[in-house]
Amino acid sequence: MQSSSTYYEKVAAAAAAIADSFGSVPDVGVILGTGLDGLSKAITVEKELSYSDIPGFPESTVQSHAGTLLLGTLAGRKIVAMQGRAHIYEGYSSKEVTLPIRALAACGIKTLIVSNASGGMNPAFRSGDIMLIEDHINLTGHNPLEGPNEDSWGPRFPDMSDPYPADLRAKARAVATELDIKLHEGVYISVVGPNLETRAEYRMLHKMGADVVGMSTVPEVIVANHMGVQVVAFSVITDECFPDTLQPISIEDVLAAAARASDPLSKMLKALLPRI
Ligand code: HPA
């Protein structure tokens, strides 16, 4: 059903533009969010494509997100990497935000490695720490699967019992242990933002069962799961969200904490890639 929908055509047009420019697309995609942007320097880039040259790709309006799709090699593995992403708080719908994931899945990626920045609510977490996302809560009030289902992409009611497959998480944990990098594991809750939370909201979100809170990732992961793409996701804790001792935080603080995690994250990713 719905093969002729406008959204389907938009995804197909984006996928065609990527395939035209890159030729064959590798089976691993990476979203270099806040915290992994530094990793782009480690990629041996063969080709790059500006989001503005891919029809339907939302352009990020956030200064820390570049907006370039890279084709290259990292740790001997061919990858396609999104340097930057769009967010719902920028005014994009969850369907627009996730169009790049749909397009990459249509191009044939089988694994998606995601990174993001988040506020840590688990009292054991510190700014600059990294958490492997074990599970998520969608609190955005949006769902990228709303509307008619495109059956050729995936089922109407996709299963979400293990959206970050346990075997991939085990590989990520093994890599962290080998490299002696501290890696937490826990639940990410997504909100729209863009304001950070009040003390009462952090208290509530933590009680709801989340360890960290952020403004991205969950729509992308829902779409990846819908299309049968397996996900492994790392969250960089950029601020400590403990209601009783909460301090004001600026975007500069967030970026500085993310930069501290860039090196260990890059090392883990390089070690993980050949095992995927
Ligand atoms: N809240 C929501 N999103 C975030 C935060 C936060 O405290 N830190 C980084 N992204």
Side-chain angles (χ1 to χ4, degrees), residues 184-197:
H184 302 292
E185 190 166 2
V187 174
Y188 176 96
I189 191 164
S190 67
V191 294
V192 168
N195 61 279
L196 300 181
E197 286 67 32

Side-chain angles (χ1 to χ4, degrees), residues 6-269:
T6 310
Y7 186 65
Y8 181 88
E9 285 166 5
K10 277 187 186 162
V11 169
I18 296 167
D20 272 358
S21 171
F22 287 180
S24 83
V25 176
D27 62 355
V28 179
V30 183
I31 303 179
L32 302 167
T34 311
L36 259 187
D37 197 48
L39 186 65
S40 57
K41 294 182 194 75
I43 301 173
T44 308
V45 178
E46 274 170 48
K47 286 187 181 152
E48 52 179 274
L49 200 50
S50 168
Y51 289 179
S52 57
D53 293 328
I54 311 173
F57 256 51
E59 287 185 62
S60 178
T61 59
V62 189
Q63 48 162 36
S64 53
H65 289 261
T68 313
L69 192 68
L70 307 175
L71 174 72
T73 309
L74 184 65
R77 188 81 195 246
K78 281 228 170 195
I79 60 165
V80 54
M82 287 177 60
Q83 221 182 348
R85 59 149 68 85
H87 306 81
I88 294 173
Y89 65 73
E90 294 174 82
Y92 292 112
S93 71
S94 58
K95 276 193 154 52
E96 288 169 326
V97 163
T98 51
L99 184 138
I101 309 306
R102 293 272 187 214
L104 290 178
C107 284
I109 65 161
K110 297 280 176 269
T111 304
L112 182 66
I113 302 174
V114 182
S115 64
N116 64 39
S118 64
M121 301 179 293
N122 183 321
F125 294 3
R126 292 291 171 268
S127 165
D129 285 357
I130 303 167
M131 187 193 88
L132 180 66
I133 303 183
E134 187 249 319
D135 204 350
H136 72 224
I137 300 172
N138 180 11
L139 202 74
T140 62
H142 298 272
N143 194 305
L145 308 183
E146 275 170 40
N149 186 57
E150 172 55 48
D151 293 340
S152 68
W153 283 343
R156 170 75 288 188
F157 302 107
D159 181 71
M160 285 289 155
S161 57
D162 196 20
Y164 308 82
D167 59 331
L168 267 183
R169 280 186 282 120
K171 286 180 188 174
R173 283 196 304 273
V175 156
T177 304
E178 283 164 31
L179 295 170
D180 200 20
I181 291 170
K182 179 165 72 167
L183 182 64
H184 302 292
E185 190 166 2
V187 174
Y188 176 96
I189 191 164
S190 67
V191 294
V192 168
N195 61 279
L196 300 181
E197 286 67 32
T198 64
R199 286 171 290 128
E201 286 167 344
Y202 283 130
R203 213 171 270 125
M204 174 191 77
L205 296 170
H206 188 41
K207 276 197 187 140
M208 286 173 98
D211 296 288
V212 302
V213 53
M215 306 175 195
S216 68
T217 300
V218 169
E220 295 151 349
V221 173
I222 289 173
V223 159
N225 271 268
H226 184 233
M227 293 182 86
V229 172
Q230 57 174 2
V231 179
V232 61
F234 298 93
S235 194
V236 175
I237 289 109
T238 55
D239 47 312
E240 294 169 11
C241 307
F242 311 139
D244 299 332
T245 55
L246 192 66
Q247 299 297 315
I249 175 106
S250 68
I251 183 68
E252 288 75 24
D253 297 332
V254 166
L255 294 178
R260 287 206 300 281
S262 173
D263 191 45
L265 248 182
S266 301
K267 286 191 177 125
M268 280 195 286
L269 202 51

